[in-house]
Amino acid sequence: MPIFQRKLRGMPGKICLITTTVDNENAARHIARSLVAQHLAACVQMLPDMRSCYRWQGKVEEASEFLIQIKTAPTRAGEVMQWLARHHPYALAEIVRLDASASDAYAAWVAGSVSDPDPGT
């Protein structure tokens, strides 16, 4: 059994789901790949063809967007939100954090995926 699973055995399966939206696939892929590469996210899902309706600068607007769902450990959620605030292409980014329960095995995988990599790897 991997070390991270032994450490988390018996603990509640807690993860964070952070969502945001962008207007194009390139921006979605950049966010996803950057967060996973930096061990800030275990998994990022990019869902295309979403329609958003919102009020912006006094007018009701509609836009086609990509919904991005970021899975991370509660200990890394603040870093993910800060990263998004610095790198998001929107002037006012939607960054929503949802604390969630997950299966122990999945939560352990998320925690292991976002832990700092071993210096020897």
Side-chain angles (χ1 to χ4, degrees):
M1 176 181 300
I3 292 171
F4 66 86
Q5 285 182 336
R6 284 195 299 268
K7 282 192 225 175
L8 293 178
R9 192 178 337 164
M11 295 179 67
K14 298 295 180 188
I15 65 167
C16 286
L17 175 65
I18 299 172
T19 65
T20 192
T21 56
V22 293
D23 62 355
N24 67 74
E25 184 177 2
N26 287 339
R29 290 174 57 89
H30 171 71
I31 288 170
R33 295 188 65 79
S34 296
L35 291 173
V36 172
Q38 294 176 48
H39 296 269
L40 292 173
C43 174
V44 178
Q45 296 169 315
M46 300 161 279
L47 296 99
D49 300 326
M50 181 182 78
R51 293 293 300 169
S52 293
C53 179
Y54 54 92
R55 183 176 301 280
W56 181 248
Q57 298 178 338
K59 293 192 281 185
V60 175
E61 302 280 350
E62 282 193 37
S64 178
E65 294 185 296
F66 280 72
L67 174 63
I68 300 172
Q69 297 181 332
I70 303 157
K71 279 69 158 223
T72 193
T75 56
R76 302 302 298 263
E79 293 172 85
V80 171
M81 295 176 78
Q82 289 173 358
W83 189 96
L84 287 170
R86 285 192 311 272
H87 296 95
H88 203 286
Y90 286 1
L92 176 61
E94 167 195 337
I95 304 171
V96 177
R97 172 185 171 163
L98 303 167
D99 295 314
S101 296
S103 69
D104 289 339
Y106 187 77
W109 174 78
V110 168
S113 296
V114 300
S115 64
D116 289 328
D118 291 333
T121 59

